[in-house]
């Protein structure tokens, strides 16, 4: 088991790429000391031990579009905005160490619960519990409007990467810069109909489980969804030495009354087994063309994540046409912001200064 309290210095892999190893050193160092062409970053964030923080200050609520969005906010109210977006099966606590680091650097950090998670609620019982990709992206646009944020650095992983990628691609005027874990994650429904290599299909077991009635019932059962999420955490972050309390803080977000419906619809929609809504046909048509992302971007690959594609980002490099850098974090699994908060926060700072 890798000691999560050890970081190593970033090692350059050539122009526009870096690897960050989190094994073998006793001292803590800045987890991303190498940037483009080996230049020093604009500023280096304080190094934080993962799990240094356990909670956010008081959460806030705001009406935004179809939702009352629950969110954490840290940093000066008039600082440059950073919006951090979580994935599944996670919640805002993926950023519990990242957000204070960015706040120390003067950023206004917003960490919202996505629809179906935590304290975020639909305003109407009649609204379809839709989790197609453009609906979630438009939730974040509505949140930005409600908070009077014109542009922000968007940073995310899993569902959060997809959401940030979509905003950067379709509404680049709202995205100052992008940090995207696992690269270009915009869903292509046609491509998703084609089978993957058996090993890759095996990694997606829960997606297919959710396509069945048994899977839906499991998500609606409090105990089964809790245990399923814990299994996913253990599987996709094999080197992360988290404790039970860390998981339980996030698992509380799964008690949202719409959680099961949102999770099931998200994965069924991706496989064309559930319909979306016509109101989102326009954005989805544009996303089907695999639009390029022109805003400044840093992509992060967690080396121990079973979903990380081989090739050090080569499979999606052509989707990013603006200023760009790729970094691979050695020894890190799927929940990259919580496993390597210093490296994630440093990526946000660096991309904001491209």
């Amino acid at each position: 088991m890798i000691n999560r309290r050890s970081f190593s210095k970033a090692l350059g892999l050539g122009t526009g790429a870096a690897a960050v190893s989190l094994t073998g050193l006793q001292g803590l160092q800045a987890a991303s000391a190498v940037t483009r062409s080996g230049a020093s970053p604009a500023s280096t964030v304080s190094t934080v031990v993962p799990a240094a923080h356990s909670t956010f200050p008081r959460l806030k609520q705001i009406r935004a579009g179809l939702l009352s969005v629950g969110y954490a906010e840290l940093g000066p109210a008039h600082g440059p905005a950073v919006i951090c977006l979580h994935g599944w099966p996670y919640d805002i606590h993926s950023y519990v160490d990242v957000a204070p680091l960015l706040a120390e650097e003067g950023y206004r950090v917003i960490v919202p619960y996505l629809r179906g998670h935590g304290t975020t609620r639909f305003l109407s019982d009649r609204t379809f519990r839709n989790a197609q990709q453009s609906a979630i992206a438009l939730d974040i646009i509505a949140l930005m409007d409600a908070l009077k944020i014109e542009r922000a650095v968007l940073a995310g992983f899993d569902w959060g990467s997809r959401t940030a990628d979509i905003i950067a691609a379709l509404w680049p005027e709202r995205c100052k810069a992008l940090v995207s874990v696992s690269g270009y994650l915009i869903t292509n429904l046609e491509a998703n109909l084609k089978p993957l290599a058996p090993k890759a299909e095996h990694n997606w077991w829960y997606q297919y489980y959710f396509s069945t009635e048994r899977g839906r019932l499991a998500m609606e059962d409090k105990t089964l969804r809790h245990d399923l999420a814990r299994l996913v955490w253990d599987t996709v972050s094999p080197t992360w030495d988290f404790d039970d309390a860390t998981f339980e803080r996030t698992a509380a977000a799964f008690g949202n009354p719409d959680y099961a419906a949102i999770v099931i619809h998200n994965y069924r929609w991706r496989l064309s087994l559930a319909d979306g809504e016509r109101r989102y046909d326009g954005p989805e048509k544009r996303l089907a063309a695999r639009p390029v992302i022109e805003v400044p971007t840093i992509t992060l690959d967690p080396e121990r994540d079973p979903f990380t594609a081989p090739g050090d980002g080569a499979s999606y490099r052509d989707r990013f046409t603006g200023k760009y850098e790729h970094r691979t974090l050695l020894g890190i699994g799927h929940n990259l912001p919580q496993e390597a908060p210093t490296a994630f926060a440093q990526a946000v700072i660096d991309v904001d200064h491209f």
Side-chain angles (χ1 to χ4, degrees), residues 104-152:
E104 286 178 5
E105 296 293 323
Y107 287 95
R108 179 189 183 190
V109 187
I110 307 295
V111 190
Y113 283 112
L114 299 184
R115 58 169 57 190
H117 293 74
T119 60
T120 292
R121 296 289 189 274
F122 286 89
L123 296 175
S124 172
D125 291 338
R126 295 187 298 272
T127 302
F128 175 48
R129 272 38 178 177
N130 182 353
Q132 71 185 102
Q133 60 182 355
S134 58
I136 297 175
L138 284 165
D139 288 345
I140 303 306
I141 295 290
L143 175 63
M144 293 175 69
D145 290 343
L147 294 173
K148 296 180 169 47
I149 296 173
E150 187 62 31
R151 297 174 74 221

Side-chain angles (χ1 to χ4, degrees), residues 6 30 40 45 90 104 106 122 173 182 197 233 239 252 269 314 326 350-351:
S6 296
S40 297
V45 298
Y90 305 97
E104 286 178 5
F122 286 89
E173 69 279 3
S182 303
W233 276 41
T239 59
W269 178 85
H326 176 78
D350 291 345
V351 79

Side-chain angles (χ1 to χ4, degrees), residues 2-3 23 58 69 141 145 178 183 189 195 225 260 272-273 288 307:
I2 291 176
N3 182 349
T23 62
R58 179 180 60 88
V69 178
I141 295 290
D145 290 343
L178 172 68
L189 293 179
R225 72 176 176 233
S272 298
L273 298 175
F307 300 114

Side-chain angles (χ1 to χ4, degrees), residues 4 21 55 65 108 119 134 162-163 177 201 215 222 246 289 345 351:
R4 309 314 307 154
S21 172
T55 61
R108 179 189 183 190
T119 60
S134 58
R162 180 173 297 108
T163 301
E201 296 283 27
K222 180 179 179 180
T246 297
V351 79

Side-chain angles (χ1 to χ4, degrees), residues 3 11 18 29 62 78 140 149 153 158 162 208 211 218 228 244 250 262 272 274 276 286-287 308 319 349:
N3 182 349
L11 301 176
Q29 299 176 352
I62 192 167
H78 299 291
I140 303 306
I149 296 173
V153 176
D158 196 88
R162 180 173 297 108
Y208 308 123
S211 299
L228 186 150
D244 291 342
T250 286
I262 289 298
S272 298
R286 295 170 65 191
L287 294 172
T308 295
R319 295 298 87 196
I349 299 269

Side-chain angles (χ1 to χ4, degrees), residues 34-351:
V34 175
T35 59
R36 292 174 297 144
S37 301
S40 297
S43 63
T44 301
V45 298
S46 302
T47 301
V48 66
V49 176
H53 304 85
S54 60
T55 61
F56 286 100
R58 179 180 60 88
L59 298 184
K60 300 181 177 182
Q61 291 286 141
I62 192 167
R63 290 172 65 103
L66 301 174
L67 305 171
S68 172
V69 178
Y71 66 100
E73 180 172 355
L74 282 76
H78 299 291
V82 176
I83 300 176
C84 297
L85 301 170
H86 69 80
W88 181 89
Y90 305 97
D91 81 330
I92 63 173
H93 289 88
S94 290
Y95 297 100
V96 73
D97 290 320
V98 169
L101 291 175
L102 294 174
E104 286 178 5
E105 296 293 323
Y107 287 95
R108 179 189 183 190
V109 187
I110 307 295
V111 190
Y113 283 112
L114 299 184
R115 58 169 57 190
H117 293 74
T119 60
T120 292
R121 296 289 189 274
F122 286 89
L123 296 175
S124 172
D125 291 338
R126 295 187 298 272
T127 302
F128 175 48
R129 272 38 178 177
N130 182 353
Q132 71 185 102
Q133 60 182 355
S134 58
I136 297 175
L138 284 165
D139 288 345
I140 303 306
I141 295 290
L143 175 63
M144 293 175 69
D145 290 343
L147 294 173
K148 296 180 169 47
I149 296 173
E150 187 62 31
R151 297 174 74 221
V153 176
L154 301 179
F157 77 106
D158 196 88
W159 291 21
S161 287
R162 180 173 297 108
T163 301
D165 290 351
I166 290 168
I167 296 172
L170 298 190
W171 299 283
E173 69 279 3
R174 307 304 298 271
C175 181
K176 182 181 180 184
L178 172 68
V179 174
S180 183
V181 175
S182 303
Y184 189 88
L185 293 187
I186 294 174
T187 297
N188 184 305
L189 293 179
E190 183 177 354
N192 272 9
L193 296 175
K194 300 175 183 177
L196 302 173
K199 185 176 181 180
E201 296 283 27
H202 178 266
N203 292 334
W204 284 108
W205 65 270
Y206 56 83
Q207 178 174 240
Y208 308 123
Y209 183 44
F210 294 158
S211 299
T212 70
E213 183 65 7
R214 286 165 64 101
R216 184 186 68 79
L217 292 173
M219 274 292 98
E220 292 180 349
D221 183 286
K222 180 179 179 180
T223 299
L224 290 176
R225 72 176 176 233
H226 173 281
D227 293 349
L228 186 150
R230 178 62 186 252
L231 176 61
V232 171
W233 276 41
D234 290 336
T235 302
V236 302
S237 293
T239 59
W240 182 25
D241 188 21
F242 62 90
D243 59 19
D244 291 342
T246 297
F247 176 76
E248 295 302 334
R249 279 189 289 271
T250 286
F254 309 159
N256 185 297
D258 298 308
Y259 182 77
I262 289 298
V263 172
I264 293 298
H265 186 265
N266 180 281
Y267 287 102
R268 290 185 178 184
W269 178 85
R270 291 195 215 178
L271 295 178
S272 298
L273 298 175
D275 293 330
E277 293 180 272
R278 292 187 63 184
R279 71 169 86 182
Y280 302 112
D281 284 354
E284 293 295 349
K285 184 176 180 179
R286 295 170 65 191
L287 294 172
R290 298 188 74 237
V292 297
I293 293 174
E294 298 178 350
V295 304
T297 299
I298 290 177
T299 55
L300 301 174
D301 270 357
E303 182 228 4
R304 295 303 302 274
D305 181 357
F307 300 114
T308 295
D312 204 31
S315 63
Y316 51 74
R317 177 64 185 91
D318 65 338
R319 295 298 87 196
F320 299 95
T321 59
K323 294 180 180 179
Y324 177 82
E325 182 183 336
H326 176 78
R327 298 173 182 174
T328 295
L329 272 67
L330 305 181
I332 293 300
H334 190 74
N335 188 6
L336 189 152
Q338 202 162 359
E339 296 181 53
T342 302
F344 190 91
Q346 188 65 59
V348 171
I349 299 269
D350 291 345
V351 79

